[in-house]
Amino acid sequence: SQQGEEDPQALSIQEGENATMNCSYKTSINNLQWYRQNSGRGLVHLILIRSNEREKHSGRLRVTLDTSKKSSSLLITASRAADTASYFCATALYSGGGADGLTFGKGTHLIIQP
Amino acid sequence: DTGVSQDPRHKITKRGQNVTFRCDPISEHNRLYWYRQTLGQGPEFLTYFQNEAQLEKSRLLSDRFSAERPKGSFSTLEIQRTEQGDSAMYLCASSYRGANSYEQYFGPGTRLTVT
């Protein structure tokens, strides 16, 4: 079963706009990770946010975490064509932070229109 | 760092045949994971190894699935008596077991088509 669920399932925006996608999960977590998958580079880790963090930045990425609502959001600013991909949130399958396996949502498919 | 490699990249087989996939992790990584991904879904965890020990295998999809990592380096995933429902992308990932080290590095995957 999948713990994380991303929303929306699909998102299409113009290049240069910001893209926001959300993830909800069911159980307590040690951390939450975001991954990107496209045909060119496969599945790539983007950012990890720990349960005691509320916000984290990495380049054009901003991730927030609300453990009381069991939700996270990923914001991509100033989108580029190369950001076209599927984005997944992932949490630990078991206790231990995810070192013994991850569970992924179905993903948000992001399309950046030129 | 050459990344995680998987072989073959594509495999077409007839129903009932056995298939074996290979994964070579990043050299200093001692944890290795197998996932399956079907169209429109996220990766689904199958099993993982720490060094040569298989620490979790309860999520292998059936007893037709087995995995090995004999010397704690490369790993193989075997599917016996393949069925059409086994058609999917099989992903391998590796990570380094260290304090607060949870990021996984994924290979390009092996796409299996069972006809």
Side-chain angles (χ1 to χ4, degrees), chain B residues 20-57:
Chain B
T20 300
F21 311 140
R22 175 177 171 130
C23 170
D24 286 88
I26 293 171
S27 58
E28 63 267 28
H29 286 183
N30 53 6
R31 290 190 178 226
L32 186 149
Y33 309 82
W34 285 99
Y35 293 83
R36 182 182 79 158
Q37 187 176 24
T38 54
L39 197 62
Q41 303 291 317
E44 176 186 13
F45 172 83
L46 296 178
T47 187
Y48 93 101
F49 295 84
Q50 182 169 300
N51 300 313
E52 65 275 11
Q54 189 174 13
L55 298 185
E56 175 54 57
K57 58 182 178 180

Short mmCIF file of all heavy atoms in Angstrom, two decimals, chain B residues 20-57:
data_model
loop_
_atom_site.label_atom_id
_atom_site.label_comp_id
_atom_site.label_asym_id
_atom_site.label_seq_id
_atom_site.Cartn_x
_atom_site.Cartn_y
_atom_site.Cartn_z
N THR B 20 16.27 -13.00 -15.07
CA THR B 20 17.15 -12.53 -14.01
C THR B 20 17.69 -11.16 -14.38
O THR B 20 18.14 -10.95 -15.51
CB THR B 20 18.34 -13.49 -13.79
OG1 THR B 20 17.84 -14.78 -13.42
CG2 THR B 20 19.25 -12.98 -12.68
N PHE B 21 17.63 -10.25 -13.43
CA PHE B 21 18.13 -8.89 -13.63
C PHE B 21 19.31 -8.66 -12.68
O PHE B 21 19.32 -9.17 -11.56
CB PHE B 21 17.05 -7.85 -13.33
CG PHE B 21 15.74 -8.10 -13.99
CD1 PHE B 21 14.55 -7.87 -13.32
CD2 PHE B 21 15.68 -8.55 -15.31
CE1 PHE B 21 13.34 -8.10 -13.92
CE2 PHE B 21 14.46 -8.77 -15.93
CZ PHE B 21 13.29 -8.56 -15.22
N ARG B 22 20.23 -7.82 -13.14
CA ARG B 22 21.40 -7.52 -12.33
C ARG B 22 21.43 -6.05 -11.96
O ARG B 22 21.06 -5.18 -12.76
CB ARG B 22 22.67 -7.89 -13.08
CG ARG B 22 23.95 -7.49 -12.33
CD ARG B 22 25.19 -7.91 -13.04
NE ARG B 22 26.38 -7.36 -12.43
CZ ARG B 22 27.45 -8.08 -12.09
NH1 ARG B 22 27.50 -9.39 -12.32
NH2 ARG B 22 28.50 -7.49 -11.54
N CYS B 23 21.92 -5.77 -10.76
CA CYS B 23 22.10 -4.40 -10.30
C CYS B 23 23.49 -4.25 -9.71
O CYS B 23 23.90 -5.04 -8.85
CB CYS B 23 21.06 -4.04 -9.25
SG CYS B 23 21.35 -2.46 -8.42
N ASP B 24 24.20 -3.23 -10.15
CA ASP B 24 25.50 -2.88 -9.56
C ASP B 24 25.35 -1.55 -8.84
O ASP B 24 25.13 -0.52 -9.48
CB ASP B 24 26.58 -2.79 -10.63
CG ASP B 24 27.00 -4.15 -11.14
OD1 ASP B 24 26.36 -4.65 -12.09
OD2 ASP B 24 27.94 -4.71 -10.55
N PRO B 25 25.45 -1.55 -7.51
CA PRO B 25 25.25 -0.29 -6.76
C PRO B 25 26.48 0.59 -6.84
O PRO B 25 27.52 0.20 -7.36
CB PRO B 25 25.04 -0.80 -5.34
CG PRO B 25 25.89 -2.04 -5.27
CD PRO B 25 25.77 -2.67 -6.64
N ILE B 26 26.35 1.79 -6.30
CA ILE B 26 27.50 2.67 -6.12
C ILE B 26 28.46 1.96 -5.18
O ILE B 26 28.04 1.38 -4.17
CB ILE B 26 27.04 4.03 -5.58
CG1 ILE B 26 26.20 4.74 -6.66
CG2 ILE B 26 28.22 4.89 -5.16
CD1 ILE B 26 25.50 5.99 -6.19
N SER B 27 29.73 1.99 -5.48
CA SER B 27 30.69 1.09 -4.87
C SER B 27 30.77 1.19 -3.35
O SER B 27 30.89 0.18 -2.67
CB SER B 27 32.08 1.31 -5.47
OG SER B 27 32.49 2.65 -5.29
N GLU B 28 30.66 2.35 -2.78
CA GLU B 28 30.79 2.45 -1.32
C GLU B 28 29.47 2.29 -0.59
O GLU B 28 29.42 2.36 0.64
CB GLU B 28 31.43 3.79 -0.93
CG GLU B 28 30.61 5.01 -1.31
CD GLU B 28 30.99 5.57 -2.66
OE1 GLU B 28 31.46 4.80 -3.53
OE2 GLU B 28 30.80 6.78 -2.87
N HIS B 29 28.39 2.03 -1.32
CA HIS B 29 27.08 1.88 -0.70
C HIS B 29 26.88 0.44 -0.22
O HIS B 29 27.08 -0.51 -0.98
CB HIS B 29 25.97 2.24 -1.68
CG HIS B 29 25.85 3.70 -1.91
ND1 HIS B 29 24.88 4.24 -2.72
CD2 HIS B 29 26.57 4.75 -1.43
CE1 HIS B 29 25.00 5.56 -2.72
NE2 HIS B 29 26.03 5.89 -1.96
N ASN B 30 26.47 0.28 1.03
CA ASN B 30 26.28 -1.07 1.54
C ASN B 30 24.82 -1.49 1.58
O ASN B 30 24.52 -2.64 1.87
CB ASN B 30 26.93 -1.21 2.93
CG ASN B 30 26.46 -0.14 3.90
OD1 ASN B 30 25.59 0.66 3.58
ND2 ASN B 30 27.05 -0.12 5.08
N ARG B 31 23.92 -0.58 1.30
CA ARG B 31 22.50 -0.96 1.25
C ARG B 31 22.02 -0.97 -0.20
O ARG B 31 22.35 -0.06 -0.98
CB ARG B 31 21.65 0.00 2.07
CG ARG B 31 21.89 -0.15 3.57
CD ARG B 31 20.87 0.62 4.38
NE ARG B 31 21.10 0.41 5.81
CZ ARG B 31 20.14 0.13 6.68
NH1 ARG B 31 18.90 0.03 6.26
NH2 ARG B 31 20.44 -0.04 7.95
N LEU B 32 21.24 -1.98 -0.53
CA LEU B 32 20.74 -2.12 -1.89
C LEU B 32 19.27 -2.49 -1.85
O LEU B 32 18.87 -3.34 -1.04
CB LEU B 32 21.55 -3.20 -2.63
CG LEU B 32 21.28 -3.40 -4.12
CD1 LEU B 32 22.54 -3.87 -4.84
CD2 LEU B 32 20.14 -4.36 -4.38
N TYR B 33 18.48 -1.86 -2.68
CA TYR B 33 17.02 -2.01 -2.66
C TYR B 33 16.53 -2.38 -4.06
O TYR B 33 17.08 -1.95 -5.07
CB TYR B 33 16.35 -0.68 -2.29
CG TYR B 33 16.88 -0.02 -1.03
CD1 TYR B 33 18.03 0.75 -1.07
CD2 TYR B 33 16.23 -0.17 0.19
CE1 TYR B 33 18.53 1.36 0.07
CE2 TYR B 33 16.72 0.44 1.34
CZ TYR B 33 17.86 1.21 1.26
OH TYR B 33 18.35 1.81 2.40
N TRP B 34 15.44 -3.15 -4.08
CA TRP B 34 14.72 -3.43 -5.31
C TRP B 34 13.29 -2.90 -5.17
O TRP B 34 12.64 -3.10 -4.14
CB TRP B 34 14.67 -4.93 -5.61
CG TRP B 34 15.95 -5.51 -6.11
CD1 TRP B 34 16.90 -6.19 -5.39
CD2 TRP B 34 16.43 -5.48 -7.46
NE1 TRP B 34 17.92 -6.58 -6.21
CE2 TRP B 34 17.66 -6.16 -7.49
CE3 TRP B 34 15.94 -4.96 -8.65
CZ2 TRP B 34 18.41 -6.33 -8.64
CZ3 TRP B 34 16.68 -5.12 -9.81
CH2 TRP B 34 17.90 -5.81 -9.80
N TYR B 35 12.83 -2.25 -6.25
CA TYR B 35 11.47 -1.73 -6.33
C TYR B 35 10.87 -2.15 -7.66
O TYR B 35 11.58 -2.40 -8.64
CB TYR B 35 11.45 -0.20 -6.28
CG TYR B 35 11.88 0.42 -4.97
CD1 TYR B 35 13.23 0.61 -4.66
CD2 TYR B 35 10.93 0.86 -4.04
CE1 TYR B 35 13.63 1.20 -3.49
CE2 TYR B 35 11.33 1.46 -2.85
CZ TYR B 35 12.67 1.62 -2.58
OH TYR B 35 13.05 2.21 -1.40
N ARG B 36 9.56 -2.17 -7.72
CA ARG B 36 8.86 -2.39 -8.98
C ARG B 36 7.98 -1.19 -9.22
O ARG B 36 7.36 -0.66 -8.29
CB ARG B 36 7.99 -3.65 -8.91
CG ARG B 36 7.27 -3.97 -10.21
CD ARG B 36 6.39 -5.17 -10.09
NE ARG B 36 5.14 -4.86 -9.44
CZ ARG B 36 4.03 -5.58 -9.58
NH1 ARG B 36 4.04 -6.65 -10.34
NH2 ARG B 36 2.94 -5.24 -8.94
N GLN B 37 7.92 -0.74 -10.47
CA GLN B 37 7.06 0.38 -10.82
C GLN B 37 6.22 0.05 -12.03
O GLN B 37 6.75 -0.32 -13.07
CB GLN B 37 7.90 1.63 -11.10
CG GLN B 37 7.07 2.89 -11.30
CD GLN B 37 7.91 4.14 -11.48
OE1 GLN B 37 9.06 4.07 -11.88
NE2 GLN B 37 7.34 5.28 -11.17
N THR B 38 4.91 0.18 -11.88
CA THR B 38 4.00 -0.01 -13.00
C THR B 38 3.52 1.35 -13.48
O THR B 38 3.65 2.36 -12.78
CB THR B 38 2.82 -0.90 -12.61
OG1 THR B 38 2.19 -0.34 -11.44
CG2 THR B 38 3.28 -2.31 -12.29
N LEU B 39 2.94 1.37 -14.66
CA LEU B 39 2.57 2.61 -15.31
C LEU B 39 1.62 3.44 -14.46
O LEU B 39 0.61 2.93 -13.96
CB LEU B 39 1.93 2.29 -16.66
CG LEU B 39 1.84 3.45 -17.66
CD1 LEU B 39 3.24 3.94 -18.02
CD2 LEU B 39 1.08 3.02 -18.90
N GLY B 40 1.98 4.68 -14.25
CA GLY B 40 1.11 5.59 -13.51
C GLY B 40 1.20 5.47 -12.00
O GLY B 40 0.44 6.14 -11.29
N GLN B 41 2.11 4.63 -11.53
CA GLN B 41 2.27 4.42 -10.09
C GLN B 41 3.67 4.81 -9.65
O GLN B 41 4.59 4.89 -10.46
CB GLN B 41 2.03 2.95 -9.73
CG GLN B 41 0.68 2.41 -10.15
CD GLN B 41 -0.46 3.01 -9.36
OE1 GLN B 41 -0.38 3.17 -8.15
NE2 GLN B 41 -1.53 3.36 -10.06
N GLY B 42 3.82 5.02 -8.36
CA GLY B 42 5.15 5.22 -7.82
C GLY B 42 5.84 3.89 -7.60
O GLY B 42 5.20 2.83 -7.66
N PRO B 43 7.13 3.90 -7.34
CA PRO B 43 7.84 2.65 -7.07
C PRO B 43 7.26 1.94 -5.86
O PRO B 43 6.87 2.57 -4.88
CB PRO B 43 9.27 3.11 -6.82
CG PRO B 43 9.38 4.43 -7.51
CD PRO B 43 8.03 5.05 -7.38
N GLU B 44 7.26 0.61 -5.94
CA GLU B 44 6.76 -0.25 -4.87
C GLU B 44 7.93 -1.08 -4.34
O GLU B 44 8.57 -1.80 -5.10
CB GLU B 44 5.66 -1.15 -5.42
CG GLU B 44 5.10 -2.16 -4.43
CD GLU B 44 4.11 -3.11 -5.09
OE1 GLU B 44 4.05 -3.14 -6.36
OE2 GLU B 44 3.40 -3.84 -4.37
N PHE B 45 8.19 -0.97 -3.07
CA PHE B 45 9.33 -1.65 -2.45
C PHE B 45 9.16 -3.17 -2.50
O PHE B 45 8.08 -3.70 -2.22
CB PHE B 45 9.44 -1.19 -0.99
CG PHE B 45 10.46 -1.94 -0.17
CD1 PHE B 45 11.80 -1.59 -0.22
CD2 PHE B 45 10.07 -2.99 0.65
CE1 PHE B 45 12.74 -2.28 0.54
CE2 PHE B 45 11.01 -3.68 1.41
CZ PHE B 45 12.33 -3.31 1.37
N LEU B 46 10.24 -3.86 -2.84
CA LEU B 46 10.22 -5.33 -2.87
C LEU B 46 11.09 -5.94 -1.78
O LEU B 46 10.64 -6.80 -1.03
CB LEU B 46 10.71 -5.82 -4.24
CG LEU B 46 9.87 -5.45 -5.46
CD1 LEU B 46 10.53 -5.99 -6.73
CD2 LEU B 46 8.45 -5.96 -5.33
N THR B 47 12.36 -5.51 -1.71
CA THR B 47 13.29 -6.13 -0.78
C THR B 47 14.52 -5.27 -0.65
O THR B 47 14.75 -4.37 -1.47
CB THR B 47 13.69 -7.55 -1.26
OG1 THR B 47 14.48 -8.19 -0.26
CG2 THR B 47 14.50 -7.47 -2.56
N TYR B 48 15.32 -5.51 0.43
CA TYR B 48 16.58 -4.79 0.52
C TYR B 48 17.64 -5.60 1.24
O TYR B 48 17.33 -6.53 2.00
CB TYR B 48 16.39 -3.41 1.16
CG TYR B 48 16.59 -3.32 2.66
CD1 TYR B 48 17.78 -2.82 3.19
CD2 TYR B 48 15.57 -3.68 3.53
CE1 TYR B 48 17.94 -2.71 4.55
CE2 TYR B 48 15.74 -3.58 4.90
CZ TYR B 48 16.92 -3.08 5.41
OH TYR B 48 17.09 -2.97 6.76
N PHE B 49 18.88 -5.23 0.97
CA PHE B 49 20.05 -5.89 1.54
C PHE B 49 20.91 -4.86 2.27
O PHE B 49 21.04 -3.72 1.84
CB PHE B 49 20.93 -6.50 0.43
CG PHE B 49 20.27 -7.61 -0.33
CD1 PHE B 49 19.42 -7.34 -1.39
CD2 PHE B 49 20.52 -8.93 0.01
CE1 PHE B 49 18.82 -8.37 -2.09
CE2 PHE B 49 19.94 -9.97 -0.70
CZ PHE B 49 19.08 -9.69 -1.74
N GLN B 50 21.50 -5.31 3.35
CA GLN B 50 22.59 -4.57 3.94
C GLN B 50 23.80 -5.49 3.85
O GLN B 50 23.83 -6.56 4.46
CB GLN B 50 22.31 -4.20 5.39
CG GLN B 50 23.45 -3.38 6.01
CD GLN B 50 23.06 -2.78 7.34
OE1 GLN B 50 22.12 -2.01 7.43
NE2 GLN B 50 23.79 -3.15 8.38
N ASN B 51 24.77 -5.04 3.08
CA ASN B 51 25.87 -5.93 2.69
C ASN B 51 25.27 -7.17 2.01
O ASN B 51 24.44 -7.03 1.13
CB ASN B 51 26.76 -6.23 3.87
CG ASN B 51 27.37 -4.96 4.45
OD1 ASN B 51 27.88 -4.13 3.72
ND2 ASN B 51 27.27 -4.80 5.77
N GLU B 52 25.62 -8.37 2.45
CA GLU B 52 25.07 -9.55 1.78
C GLU B 52 23.80 -10.06 2.45
O GLU B 52 23.16 -10.99 1.95
CB GLU B 52 26.11 -10.67 1.73
CG GLU B 52 26.52 -11.22 3.08
CD GLU B 52 27.63 -10.41 3.75
OE1 GLU B 52 27.94 -9.32 3.26
OE2 GLU B 52 28.18 -10.91 4.76
N ALA B 53 23.40 -9.47 3.57
CA ALA B 53 22.23 -9.95 4.30
C ALA B 53 20.95 -9.33 3.75
O ALA B 53 20.84 -8.11 3.63
CB ALA B 53 22.39 -9.60 5.78
N GLN B 54 19.99 -10.19 3.44
CA GLN B 54 18.69 -9.72 2.98
C GLN B 54 17.82 -9.48 4.22
O GLN B 54 17.37 -10.44 4.86
CB GLN B 54 18.06 -10.76 2.06
CG GLN B 54 16.80 -10.27 1.36
CD GLN B 54 16.29 -11.27 0.33
OE1 GLN B 54 16.71 -12.42 0.29
NE2 GLN B 54 15.38 -10.83 -0.52
N LEU B 55 17.62 -8.23 4.56
CA LEU B 55 16.99 -7.89 5.84
C LEU B 55 15.47 -7.78 5.75
O LEU B 55 14.81 -7.74 6.80
CB LEU B 55 17.59 -6.59 6.39
CG LEU B 55 19.08 -6.64 6.70
CD1 LEU B 55 19.54 -5.35 7.36
CD2 LEU B 55 19.41 -7.84 7.59
N GLU B 56 14.94 -7.66 4.56
CA GLU B 56 13.49 -7.56 4.43
C GLU B 56 13.11 -8.19 3.11
O GLU B 56 13.58 -7.76 2.06
CB GLU B 56 13.03 -6.12 4.49
CG GLU B 56 11.55 -5.90 4.24
CD GLU B 56 10.66 -6.73 5.15
OE1 GLU B 56 10.79 -6.61 6.38
OE2 GLU B 56 9.85 -7.52 4.63
N LYS B 57 12.29 -9.20 3.15
CA LYS B 57 11.83 -9.83 1.91
C LYS B 57 10.36 -10.18 1.94
O LYS B 57 9.86 -10.85 1.04
CB LYS B 57 12.67 -11.05 1.57
CG LYS B 57 12.71 -12.13 2.62
CD LYS B 57 13.61 -13.27 2.16
CE LYS B 57 13.70 -14.35 3.21
NZ LYS B 57 14.58 -15.48 2.78
#
